Amino acid sequence: MRPSERTGRLGVGIIGAGRVGPVIGAALAGAGHALVGVSAISEASRERADAMLPGVPVLPIPELVERSELVIIAIPSDQLAALVKGLAETGAWQPGQLVLHTAAPFGVEVFAPARAAGVIPLAVHPAMSFTGTSVDLARLAGTHFAVTAPTPVLPIAQALVVEMGGEPVVVDEADRAAYAEAIETATTFSTAIVEQAAGILSGIGIERPGRLLAPLVRSSVENALTRAGGPLPG
């Protein structure tokens, strides 16, 4: 089925029940799409899937792919290529099927084995730190998503982001590695700095140092972001 022939409602399968997959699934369900299943292996992932996606069946990956019009792959980046290739080798991918991954470092080239089977590839990364809880659903509103896709289907990826309340930002295939580096730098350094400062304060006897640091860190980050690109949205 060509994208232009699709209805607005898609049957969505979620591969990966870490912090990102169930939140993306819940956001798409809130936009009117139907969740056909989620893959979850560990006990923690099953509990997360049950909490975020109540009533959605836990399915083996091949069955989930077979049932889905849109497959969301939300797994660690270093596992993505092997999964795509493995499913291609078993003939799991279907012509016209939308397949979207959330890995920051990759565009759509990682989907080469699946594209040979006729899938429609989308790379959509939310620039947000996830908790894997319902708190993330509110945070998605206004979050920017890096979007990479072939030009004819780019509007599909952008529309999915808008449905989740996000802001799509097009990132070229060749720029995904640099984008991922920027995301990793911001995440790693902000976490490390807060933990180091909290440790120093704890060492001098200040209880719950996070409460002291919160307004300082937020205002400092907001000031830095303003200098980097204008005032934050209200």
Side-chain angles (χ1 to χ4, degrees), residues 20 35 46 70-71 76 100 102 113 131 142 173 176 209 227 232:
V20 178
L35 300 185
R46 286 177 174 269
L70 167 62
V71 179
L100 180 157
T102 61
T131 66
E173 183 82 27
R176 289 290 294 212
R227 291 191 297 271
L232 296 174

Side-chain angles (χ1 to χ4, degrees), residues 15-21 41 73-84 101-106 110:
I15 298 178
R19 293 182 179 181
V20 178
I41 298 174
I73 306 178
I75 62 176
S77 299
D78 59 359
Q79 299 175 18
L80 178 59
L83 175 67
V84 172
H101 76 70
T102 61
F106 298 110
V110 72

Side-chain angles (χ1 to χ4, degrees), residues 11-198:
V12 181
I14 311 293
I15 298 178
R19 293 182 179 181
V20 178
V23 175
I24 296 296
L28 290 172
H33 297 288
L35 300 185
V36 301
V38 59
S39 72
I41 298 174
S42 69
E43 185 63 29
S45 66
R46 286 177 174 269
E47 291 177 357
R48 187 179 297 109
D50 185 60
M52 290 295 298
L53 307 173
V56 176
V58 175
L59 300 175
I61 291 176
E63 183 179 352
L64 186 150
V65 172
E66 180 182 359
R67 293 187 181 188
S68 302
E69 296 172 282
L70 167 62
V71 179
I72 307 292
I73 306 178
I75 62 176
S77 299
D78 59 359
Q79 299 175 18
L80 178 59
L83 175 67
V84 172
K85 181 180 179 182
L87 289 170
E89 290 174 346
T90 61
W93 300 118
Q94 304 167 56
Q97 187 173 46
L98 294 166
V99 186
L100 180 157
H101 76 70
T102 61
F106 298 110
V108 295
E109 288 183 1
V110 72
F111 282 132
R115 295 181 75 176
V119 308
I120 299 171
L122 311 171
V124 176
H125 175 263
M128 188 182 103
S129 182
F130 284 75
T131 66
T133 68
S134 58
V135 171
D136 294 332
L137 288 173
R139 291 177 176 173
L140 282 178
T143 290
H144 287 75
F145 288 63
V147 174
T148 307
T151 300
V153 296
L154 186 59
I156 297 176
Q158 293 170 316
L160 289 170
V161 170
V162 171
E163 286 183 332
M164 290 186 280
E167 296 283 344
V169 177
V170 177
V171 177
D172 290 341
E173 183 82 27
D175 295 330
R176 289 290 294 212
Y179 165 80
E181 182 181 1
I183 295 299
E184 179 67 19
T185 298
T187 303
T188 300
F189 277 88
S190 59
T191 300
I193 289 169
V194 169
E195 290 179 350
Q196 181 179 2

